[in-house]
């Protein structure tokens, strides 16, 4: 069952699968062969939710790496993933970029506009996440993050003027159902399915994404 999000009038968000973080992390490793790594989590402190890192001004409460060597701790093993989240059952699920995929991060309004254009263009999409921070991440083939800037410039846009952020090696995206900043959970705008196992190249998506970001900042 799907519910319509009234940003474009045409784009829908699939019904979200509610499951424990441990099961979701194991499923990503097993079904998609994505590396996963546990992050921080939210804790109740004086009637408010705070990040487990302890920083009162944490920029990403409950959704950032817990350990400095988080990249080395990332695993694609289902058994290890279950063990890690058994030890930290509330930990965020972080998916390292630059491995199985890169991602292009854009504002939510631009993301929904781009999705509508991509559907009309009949483009093949990979998974797309939507965070409570009103951002969306479009999954593309590894290496796409490094190419995005030059591709945007080739279209006549200045990357510095567009709120389009490529995520590649050494970065990550929080995955559903991670709760983010006490404002809700990360969701799938386009969930992983057998049909989108093969990811698009960033060159296929960059034009509608850049156009939508340009419209969003106009």
């Amino acid at each position: 069952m799907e519910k319509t999000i009234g940003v474009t009038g045409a784009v829908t968000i699939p019904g979200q699968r509610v499951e424990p973080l441990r099961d979701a992390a194991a499923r990503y490793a097993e079904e998609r062969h994505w590396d996963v790594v546990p992050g921080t989590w939210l804790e109740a402190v004086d009637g408010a939710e705070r990040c487990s890192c302890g920083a009162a001004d944490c920029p990403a409460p409950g959704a950032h790496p817990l350990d400095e060597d988080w990249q080395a701790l990332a695993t694609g093993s289902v058994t290890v993933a279950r063990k890690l989240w058994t030890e930290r059952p509330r930990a965020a699920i972080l998916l390292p970029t630059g491995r199985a995929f890169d991602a292009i991060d854009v504002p939510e309004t631009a993301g929904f506009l781009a999705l509508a254009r991509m559907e009309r263009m009949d483009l093949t999409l990979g998974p797309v996440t939507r965070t409570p921070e009103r951002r969306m991440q479009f999954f593309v083939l590894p290496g796409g993050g490094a190419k995005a800037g030059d591709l945007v410039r080739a279209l006549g846009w200045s990357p510095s003027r567009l709120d389009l952020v490529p995520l590649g090696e050494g970065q990550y995206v929080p995955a559903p159902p991670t709760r983010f900043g006490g404002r809700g959970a990360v969701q799938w705008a386009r969930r992983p399915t057998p049909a989108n196992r093969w990811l698009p190249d960033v060159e296929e998506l960059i034009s509608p994404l850049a156009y939508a970001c340009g419209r969003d900042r106009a």
Side-chain angles (χ1 to χ4, degrees), residues 34 95 101-103 126-127 129 137-141 173 188 199-200 205:
W34 290 339
L95 305 176
F101 61 88
D102 281 4
T129 56
Q137 294 83 34
F138 289 71
F139 288 25
V140 296
L141 287 172
V173 296
W188 289 111
L199 300 176
L205 306 187

Side-chain angles (χ1 to χ4, degrees), residues 30-148:
E30 180 175 26
E31 296 181 5
R32 301 299 289 207
H33 305 293
W34 290 339
D35 284 355
V36 294
V37 62
T40 55
W41 56 90
L42 295 173
E43 296 180 331
V45 179
D46 297 327
E49 289 189 308
R50 299 282 182 86
C51 185
S52 62
C53 72
D57 59 347
C58 178
H64 65 85
L66 179 64
D67 305 287
E68 290 187 5
D69 59 344
W70 65 271
Q71 294 187 68
L73 296 175
T75 180
S77 164
V78 176
T79 301
V80 175
R82 287 192 177 279
K83 180 177 182 296
L84 289 171
W85 270 270
T86 297
E87 295 170 351
R88 299 172 178 173
R90 293 183 292 161
I93 302 173
L94 306 180
L95 305 176
T97 49
R99 300 188 183 192
F101 61 88
D102 281 4
I104 305 299
D105 177 279
V106 299
E108 180 184 272
T109 49
F112 278 115
L113 176 60
L115 277 176
R117 288 176 63 85
M118 291 172 187
E119 289 177 350
R120 290 196 297 270
M121 296 166 69
D122 200 27
L123 293 179
T124 300
L125 291 172
V128 182
T129 56
R130 172 177 176 253
T131 76
E133 294 284 281
R134 301 181 67 83
R135 306 288 301 184
M136 294 173 71
Q137 294 83 34
F138 289 71
F139 288 25
V140 296
L141 287 172
K147 297 190 293 184

